């Protein structure tokens, strides 16, 4: 599973003359410009709820509500294709289409937003910004996305959200956190950019069976209850990737890290309850100070590290 997929022409360019390659890459980009919104529709919850799996992570997924908004790229392609046959045969090849998640309007009322089955999908900054604070979804799930691009501030929500939370649930042990569980299942991302979760009313972030090329500086600079990675391939942690991040639990289970773990990647990280790194593989050198340098910040945290294999290549 390649983290960075070089287009075929890039490889060919090594062997061919430069002018040819410039033309080839230009054409590739022209085709990539085709963008189309993902069509979302309300679905009956029973169509989607899966039989309960014996999955450790299930409790962290959050409750599945009864107002599910499903945004399915396959369905969007099918709809457009049938239009195309009747309207215009000259449309560009849909396989090159980049789907864009359109901003959810202020009228959006959904307990769960499910985004599924996309080739390339782009989530621009502020996609969720208009959703009213009292109507934020409990879950936003991305499932089966071959190339997912998240912008900085992609999940930003209305800034009045947090004060409203205190009012709606006074018994909440984490009143500063928002209600949203954000999960990524079978998704591939080239990177998590800086501030990708910033200003978002997020409680938990979960990656499972996914790959993330690079976790950039300040990518995780937010407060969460949980940040969990399972069965996931991570390219690298950049310096200060977790700076100003604060969470109860930081768990890495069956994570394979293919690239470097920079010396100050976890500096400035505060974990209140537990850090677990289990059954994980590190294929490159871990900087000797990668963990120890940050340890004074992990107040009272239980640190469990079971590294399955550590091979220096
Ligand atoms: C560990 O994660 C990989 C994906 O990175 C997956 O293929 C494998 O099945 C997982 N192993 C276990 C024991 O779950």
């Amino acid at each position: 599973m390649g983290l960075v997929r070089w287009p075929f022409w890039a490889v060919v360019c090594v062997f061919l003359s430069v002018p040819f390659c410039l033309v080839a890459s230009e054409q590739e980009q022209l085709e990539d410009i085709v963008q189309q919104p993902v069509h979302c529709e309300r679905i009956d919850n029973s169509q989607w709820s899966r039989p309960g799996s014996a999955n450790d992570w299930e409790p962290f997924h959050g409750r599945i509500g009864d107002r599910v908004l499903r945004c399915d790229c396959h369905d969007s392609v099918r709809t457009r294709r049938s239009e195309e046959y009747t309207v215009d045969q000259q449309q560009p090849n849909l396989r090159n289409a980049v789907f864009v998640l359109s901003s959810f309007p202020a009228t959006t009322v959904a307990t769960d937003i499910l985004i599924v089955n996309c080739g390339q999908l782009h989530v621009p900054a502020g996609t969720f910004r208009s959703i009213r604070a009292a109507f934020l979804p409990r879950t936003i799930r991305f499932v089966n996305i071959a190339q997912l691009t998240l912008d900085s501030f992609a999940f930003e929500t209305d800034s009045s959200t947090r004060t409203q939370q205190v009012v709606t649930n006074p018994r909440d042990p984490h009143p500063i956190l928002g209600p949203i569980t954000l999960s990524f299942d079978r998704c591939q991302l080239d990177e998590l950019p800086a501030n990708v979760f910033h200003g978002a009313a997020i409680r938990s972030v979960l990656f499972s069976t996914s790959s993330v090329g690079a976790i950039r500086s300040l990518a995780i600079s937010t407060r969460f209850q949980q940040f969990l990675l399972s069965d996931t391939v991570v390219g690298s942690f950049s310096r200060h990737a977790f700076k100003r991040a604060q969470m109860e639990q930081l768990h890495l289970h069956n994570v394979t890290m293919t690239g470097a773990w920079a010396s100050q990647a976890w500096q400035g990280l505060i974990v209140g309850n537990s850090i677990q790194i289990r059954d994980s593989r590190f294929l490159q050198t871990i900087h000797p100070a990668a963990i120890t340098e940050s340890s004074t910040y992990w107040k009272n945290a239980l640190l469990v590290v079971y590294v399955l294999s550590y091979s220096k290549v």
Side-chain angles (χ1 to χ4, degrees), residues 18-297:
V18 172
F20 169 83
C21 291
L22 289 177
V23 171
S25 64
E26 221 164 75
Q27 280 172 352
E28 175 110 350
Q29 282 176 0
L30 284 177
E31 284 172 12
D32 278 352
I33 288 170
V34 181
Q35 292 202 339
Q36 66 167 316
V38 189
H39 173 70
C40 300
E41 63 181 335
R42 179 73 56 79
I43 61 163
D44 174 3
N45 185 30
S46 59
Q47 287 176 16
W48 182 62
S49 53
R50 285 175 303 178
S53 67
N55 183 341
D56 283 351
W57 306 97
E58 207 68 39
F60 301 116
H61 276 291
R63 175 180 65 77
I64 298 172
D66 46 7
R67 285 175 295 198
V68 179
L69 195 59
R70 181 184 167 107
C71 312
D72 187 325
C73 292
H74 275 184
D75 282 355
S76 303
V77 168
R78 225 174 286 132
T79 311
R80 176 157 159 184
R81 219 170 246 153
S82 55
E83 281 166 10
E84 232 171 69
Y85 285 131
T86 53
V87 178
D88 186 359
Q89 297 286 342
Q90 304 302 313
Q91 288 281 334
N93 189 341
L94 280 166
R95 275 174 301 182
N96 291 321
V98 178
F99 283 95
V100 179
L101 200 56
S102 312
S103 291
F104 288 92
T107 51
T108 305
V109 177
T111 51
D112 304 273
I113 296 177
L114 177 66
I115 301 118
V116 296
N117 301 328
C118 303
Q120 288 188 60
L121 175 68
H122 176 208
V123 184
T127 298
F128 300 88
R129 198 183 286 143
S130 300
I131 300 181
R132 287 164 299 163
F135 294 92
L136 287 173
R138 294 289 182 277
T139 69
I140 299 174
R141 300 159 197 242
F142 293 86
V143 181
N144 190 27
I145 316 285
Q147 196 180 330
L148 177 59
T149 304
L150 304 176
D151 282 0
S152 298
F153 305 101
F155 300 100
E156 196 178 42
T157 49
D158 179 4
S159 56
S160 63
T161 298
R162 260 146 268 159
T163 40
Q164 296 234 354
Q165 269 307 110
V166 180
V167 175
T168 51
N169 189 358
R171 286 167 48 195
D172 189 342
H174 300 284
I176 52 159
L177 300 172
I180 301 171
T181 292
L182 181 61
S183 71
F184 301 89
D185 185 20
R186 284 173 285 140
C187 294
Q188 296 183 46
L189 297 86
D190 282 349
E191 63 166 20
L192 285 179
N195 298 313
V196 62
F197 304 119
H198 191 82
I202 294 177
R203 177 157 298 243
S204 305
V205 176
L206 166 65
F207 286 86
S208 58
T209 330
S210 292
S211 74
V212 182
I215 299 184
R216 302 283 183 209
S217 294
L218 301 179
I220 322 290
S221 55
T222 316
R223 289 175 190 231
F224 305 111
Q225 190 174 349
Q226 290 118 3
F227 190 85
L228 315 173
L229 300 167
S230 64
D231 304 327
T232 288
V233 178
V234 174
S236 61
F237 290 131
S238 303
R239 269 180 93 198
H240 297 162
F242 284 80
K243 194 168 189 175
R244 293 197 289 272
Q246 194 172 336
M247 57 196 76
E248 290 296 301
Q249 298 177 328
L250 172 60
H251 292 182
L252 276 62
H253 290 181
N254 185 24
V255 166
T256 300
M257 185 175 283
T258 56
W261 183 338
S263 70
Q264 294 172 35
W266 283 21
Q267 197 180 49
L269 164 68
I270 297 174
V271 179
N273 183 293
S274 69
I275 297 170
Q276 289 186 8
I277 301 174
R278 290 209 323 233
D279 303 332
S280 296
R281 293 161 192 79
F282 298 90
L283 306 182
Q284 302 273 329
T285 309
I286 299 177
H287 191 282
I291 291 183
T292 55
E293 231 174 45
S294 310
S295 59
T296 54
Y297 295 92

